[in-house]
Amino acid sequence: MTDVTQPPKLAPGTLRVIPLGGLGDIGRNMTAFEIDGQIALVDCGVLFPEDDHPGVDLILPALDYLNDRLDDIVALVLTHGHEDHIGAVPYLLKKRANIPVFGSKLTLAFLAAKLREHRIRDFDLDAVEEGEILEVGNFEFEFLAVNHSIPDALAVAIRTKAGLVLHTGDFKMDQLPLDGRITDLRGFARLGEEGVDLFMVDSTNAETPGFTTLERDVEPAIARVFDQARGKLIVACFASHVHRVQQVLNLAVKHGRKVVYVGRSMVRNMSTARDLGYLKVPAGTLIELKEIDRYPANEVVIVSTGSQGEPMAALSRIANRDHPVVEVGEGDTILLASSLIPGNENSVYRVINGLSRLGATVVHKGNALVHVSGHASAGELLYCYNILKPRNVLPVHGEARHLIANAKLAQATGVPAERVLVSGDGDVIDLKDGIAKKVGSIDASYVFVDGSTVGDISESIMDRRILGEEGFVSVITAVDLHNRTIVSGPDVHARGFAEDDSVFEEVRQRVAAALLDALRDGVDDPYRLQQVTRRVAGQWVSRTLKRRPMIVPVVVTT
């Protein structure tokens, strides 16, 4: 629970800034700006759960703060298309569908696909470009190009009668970006001359000295992986990292390998990026997953989701020998072309260990330069402070240590300590006459999404905490291998679910049918029969109950 100190009534002509997420975590980024009765929002992202949130799918910003003010919202501005900046938009639009949403072409394309998945059809998406100035109610927005680990990222300058705010979004200052689109330092300098009253700046790499390595500098390391791979090659990366996928496509063509996308979000996002011209796919390069067996292992590269160890993502299923198509073993190579998001370390290393036990060679950022950050390091942040000379600074996007490190950088360039506001989610900051100060706080506690349920952690989820997993489903079956029949079961037992066990009657029938089919096809290996059970039960529970539990199949043979 966030500490709450009731802020005073907002005075006319004063800009109120309330971070609803993103200060203290790497995720759920969202900020509310209010002046003279109108609210503008910047970003609306999710935070992915850690090991101490079993059963939780997503964590949302403090959307409940807006429940009584929905009609006062005049705009939602999105800086870029990563999940931690757009993932919660469907939950906001379910509260009020017609909020005008502004963002770049690629960002809105990713969002539109997400909204359709949530069955939201009535929405107002308005594409903007760098250099564009837009007036919406009491706000004027100016959009500036920034580079990041996704194309089409934007910083946004917000002008109100209370002053000028510059919000960087996520950014870095790659001077030789793969797409040639550099961060608009000339625009930053121009805003500095105008006078930036509040600088809200990405803090993720504030502890890292120097400048972030160029994206193009990782290509030689990735090329070496291609050169040395003798069997199947799997590259796992974020489903939005268009530049990294472009590098993989180019190297695949050079090495005569076909490319197949694995993972729903990867297929969707790369198709969108290709359709919009952000991804160049040479003719004849892509194949469908169902075609993979037509090619020798050394003539295919698989581009997969799951670089953060997500339990249901393709790479985790491959590591668990639970993927319906892709298997790995001796002679295969897996490249994790991504950074570790704080909190995901255990999940990622669990996948690496699983793949290693299968005999595969795993290349990752810990043993090769195969990924660079999408965030500005300390040298770049200092550069920005010196260009802008902001009157007030609010470090955003980062854990507490990142925010504090960023604050020290601001002070080192001459920003007075009292004008650097190291804040947390829910802090209320008012800007008036060139001075920003904290005036109170609101409740910005986590909002959990558990399957299709949004709200507090229920007793059933606490049961999953005790179990240490996202629920537990055991399926016990006895089979007669000689007669290829089921002797007993399947018996299904579940823990960590609000639903009664009777809801599992359908999956019991599905498992029985799948096992009988396998037995009739000559399968007599208990391990393979258990895998059939795991796959059928897992798919049914995921689709029907929107859960990702531990599935424990037991097949007793007679």
Side-chain angles (χ1 to χ4, degrees), residues 185-200:
L185 298 180
R186 295 178 64 186
F188 278 32
R190 174 174 47 78
L191 293 173
E193 292 297 321
E194 180 179 338
V196 174
D197 295 290
L198 180 62
F199 187 33
M200 300 177 64

Side-chain angles (χ1 to χ4, degrees), residues 85-99:
H85 291 258
I86 70 170
V89 175
Y91 300 94
L92 174 64
L93 295 189
K94 286 175 184 177
K95 295 174 179 285
R96 180 189 149 199
N98 63 345
I99 295 173

